[in-house]
């Protein structure tokens, strides 16, 4: 039986690299690319079919920052498929950051250079904005839209006698200090991306608590430091050639720090590896890191996350309450 896989944020970067690798490694696969921009999605699908002419690749329009878009997309999925084997929760945004140039060049010659490149710590602050649904955009795109999608897809994910996977693309920038249970949308902070990624780590644990008995398992990965459009956007005021000049530095760092995966293919290693595992055998409190050796060999490093059951459950309850609120507002608008 063909496995059915849905990937959000699949038209570029790590998402597209994952789709290419899934088609290479899996003989019988129905792949659904859930994307916000359908023009880019069509281009991604064409590229995949050029490499794999007989592949089954479908498109689904979905913007995870929009409640109505997520609900409509979920309804479409349930019409197309009677089950889902795996959902990759990969779509995400990072707000254009304020960049401290002086701190950056000081960091290049400090012992904290690896942490600086991996997390942006000390050199970046971010300003979020609000969506049409009155939600913080990073929170809605990276976390809540995916949460709502999972809730809507429970009938095709939680099927008796069938095991399904949820796989989150998290980050090494998921830090506990950036997250606050009293401000889960991070309205009052300057690290919305870090907060949203830490929240996804917590939510993954809560989803396992609530759904493992129904055959649904959730896991979290970190792609490492990858050169994608999001990464290039971190230094918006720098000319493109600077990245080229920095590449030898990155390769040198990779000799000592294997989190520098650098390209989307390497960054997708953990995403593909998890797809091949038995979900019930995985550690719900581990984050599976894509890693690349100095010689260019890819492998996986599981690391315990800085999360706990009590906080994950508290976040889950808040998300359920927020879901109830936004559904009521949506019904009110429809009337």
């Amino acid at each position: 039986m063909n496995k059915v896989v849905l990937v959000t944020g699949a038209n570029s970067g790590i998402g597209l690299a994952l789709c290419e690798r899934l088609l290479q490694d899996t003989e019988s696969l129905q792949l659904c690319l859930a994307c916000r921009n359908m023009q880019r999605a069509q281009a991604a699908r064409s590229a995949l079919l050029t490499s794999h002419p007989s592949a089954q690749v479908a498109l689904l329009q979905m913007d995870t920052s929009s409640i109505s878009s997520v609900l409509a997309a979920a309804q479409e999925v349930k019409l197309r498929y009677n089950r889902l084997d795996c959902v990759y929760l990969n779509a995400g945004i990072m707000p254009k950051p304020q960049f401290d140039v002086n701190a950056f060049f000081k960091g290049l010659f400090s012992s904290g250079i690896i942490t600086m490149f991996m997390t942006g710590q000390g050199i970046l602050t971010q300003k979020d904005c609000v969506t049409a649904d009155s939600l913080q955009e990073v929170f809605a795109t990276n976390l809540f839209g995916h949460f709502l999608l999972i809730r809507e897809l429970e009938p095709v994910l939680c099927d008796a006698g069938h095991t399904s996977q949820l796989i989150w693309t998290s980050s090494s920038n998921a830090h506990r200090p950036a997250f606050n249970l009293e401000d889960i949308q991070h309205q009052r902070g300057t690290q919305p991306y870090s907060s949203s990624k830490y929240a996804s780590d917590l939510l993954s644990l809560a989803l396992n608590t609530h759904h493992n008995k129904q055959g649904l398992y959730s896991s979290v990965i970190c792609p490492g430091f990858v050169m994608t459009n999001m990464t290039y956007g971190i230094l918006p005021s720098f000319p493109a050639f600077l990245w080229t000049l920095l590449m030898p530095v990155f390769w040198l760092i990779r000799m000592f720090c294997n989190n520098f995966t650098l390209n989307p293919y390497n960054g997708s290693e953990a995403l593909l590896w998890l797809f091949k595992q038995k979900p019930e055998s995985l550690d719900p409190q581990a984050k599976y890191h894509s890693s690349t050796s100095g010689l260019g060999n890819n492998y996986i490093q599981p690391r315990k996350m800085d999360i706990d059951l009590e906080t994950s459950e508290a976040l889950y309850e808040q998300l359920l309450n927020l879901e109830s609120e936004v559904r009521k507002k949506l019904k009110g608008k429809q009337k």
Side-chain angles (χ1 to χ4, degrees), residues 59-77:
L59 299 180
L60 177 73
Q61 185 164 26
M62 183 177 69
D63 179 356
T64 53
S65 72
S66 167
I67 302 303
S68 59
S69 177
V70 171
L71 295 178
Q75 287 301 114
E76 179 64 25
V77 169

Side-chain angles (χ1 to χ4, degrees), residues 142-158:
N142 297 1
L143 182 79
F144 188 67
H146 284 132
F147 171 75
L148 193 59
L149 178 67
I150 295 164
R151 293 277 294 160
E152 283 290 304
L153 294 181
E154 282 183 11
V156 289
L157 285 168
C158 302

Side-chain angles (χ1 to χ4, degrees), residues 55-222:
Q56 299 181 63
V57 183
L59 299 180
L60 177 73
Q61 185 164 26
M62 183 177 69
D63 179 356
T64 53
S65 72
S66 167
I67 302 303
S68 59
S69 177
V70 171
L71 295 178
Q75 287 301 114
E76 179 64 25
V77 169
K78 287 183 283 189
L79 288 173
R80 293 186 195 179
Y81 310 108
N82 57 17
R83 77 176 203 288
L84 286 173
D85 294 282
C86 184
V87 177
Y88 284 99
L89 306 155
N90 173 70
I93 60 169
M94 179 188 288
K96 185 176 180 179
Q98 300 295 315
F99 182 70
D100 189 328
V101 177
N102 291 331
F104 172 74
F105 282 106
K106 287 180 181 178
L108 282 178
F109 304 100
S110 73
S111 60
I113 181 174
I114 293 175
T115 301
M116 180 184 74
F117 276 117
M118 290 298 298
T119 68
Q121 186 174 322
I123 60 173
L124 300 176
T125 58
Q126 300 158 350
K127 289 185 179 180
D128 203 356
C129 57
V130 178
T131 70
D133 298 306
S134 301
L135 300 172
Q136 295 298 121
E137 187 177 29
V138 176
F139 166 82
T141 305
N142 297 1
L143 182 79
F144 188 67
H146 284 132
F147 171 75
L148 193 59
L149 178 67
I150 295 164
R151 293 277 294 160
E152 283 290 304
L153 294 181
E154 282 183 11
V156 289
L157 285 168
C158 302
D159 189 16
H162 176 250
T163 299
S164 297
Q165 281 182 287
L166 302 172
I167 302 177
W168 296 81
T169 301
S170 184
S171 170
S172 58
N173 199 15
H175 298 311
R176 182 188 283 266
F179 177 78
N180 186 348
L181 272 174
E182 296 180 1
D183 182 22
I184 63 171
Q185 295 193 47
H186 207 72
Q187 293 172 303
R188 300 186 294 273
T190 59
Q191 301 179 69
Y193 181 78
S194 179
S195 174
S196 71
K197 292 302 180 180
Y198 185 78
S200 69
D201 295 351
L202 289 170
L203 178 54
S204 179
L205 181 61
L207 289 167
N208 281 309
T209 301
H210 287 268
H211 292 299
N212 279 179
K213 290 182 179 180
Q214 298 167 288
L216 179 60
Y217 295 84
S218 183
S219 301
V220 179
I221 75 103
C222 172

Side-chain angles (χ1 to χ4, degrees), residues 177-309:
F179 177 78
N180 186 348
L181 272 174
E182 296 180 1
D183 182 22
I184 63 171
Q185 295 193 47
H186 207 72
Q187 293 172 303
R188 300 186 294 273
T190 59
Q191 301 179 69
Y193 181 78
S194 179
S195 174
S196 71
K197 292 302 180 180
Y198 185 78
S200 69
D201 295 351
L202 289 170
L203 178 54
S204 179
L205 181 61
L207 289 167
N208 281 309
T209 301
H210 287 268
H211 292 299
N212 279 179
K213 290 182 179 180
Q214 298 167 288
L216 179 60
Y217 295 84
S218 183
S219 301
V220 179
I221 75 103
C222 172
F225 181 76
V226 183
M227 306 300 287
T228 63
N229 291 335
M230 183 181 291
T231 313
Y232 287 117
I234 290 175
L235 305 178
S237 61
F238 277 25
F241 75 87
L242 180 63
W243 287 111
T244 303
L245 294 176
L246 286 173
M247 285 307 293
V249 177
F250 295 157
W251 289 329
L252 179 61
I253 291 173
R254 193 162 73 183
M255 298 297 294
F256 308 97
C257 177
N258 294 343
N259 289 337
F260 275 59
T261 50
L262 298 183
N263 65 58
Y265 180 94
N266 295 342
S268 66
E269 184 72 18
L271 292 167
L272 182 67
W273 183 84
L274 283 173
F275 181 70
K276 298 177 180 179
Q277 310 307 306
K278 291 183 177 180
E280 58 271 27
S281 70
L282 298 168
D283 184 351
Q285 297 202 36
K287 182 177 292 185
Y288 294 86
H289 291 248
S290 296
S291 303
T292 305
S293 71
L295 297 177
N297 299 315
N298 293 327
Y299 62 99
I300 308 303
Q301 285 185 309
R303 299 175 189 167
K304 285 286 185 181
M305 294 186 284
D306 183 20
I307 55 176
D308 61 86
L309 286 168

Side-chain angles (χ1 to χ4, degrees), residues 66-72 132-133 148 152 322-335:
S66 167
I67 302 303
S68 59
S69 177
V70 171
L71 295 178
D133 298 306
L148 193 59
E152 283 290 304
L322 182 58
E323 177 194 354
S324 178
E325 291 175 16
V326 298
R327 287 185 186 276
K328 286 179 183 177
K329 287 181 182 179
L330 195 60
K331 285 183 180 179
K333 288 180 181 179
Q334 290 171 346
K335 289 180 182 180

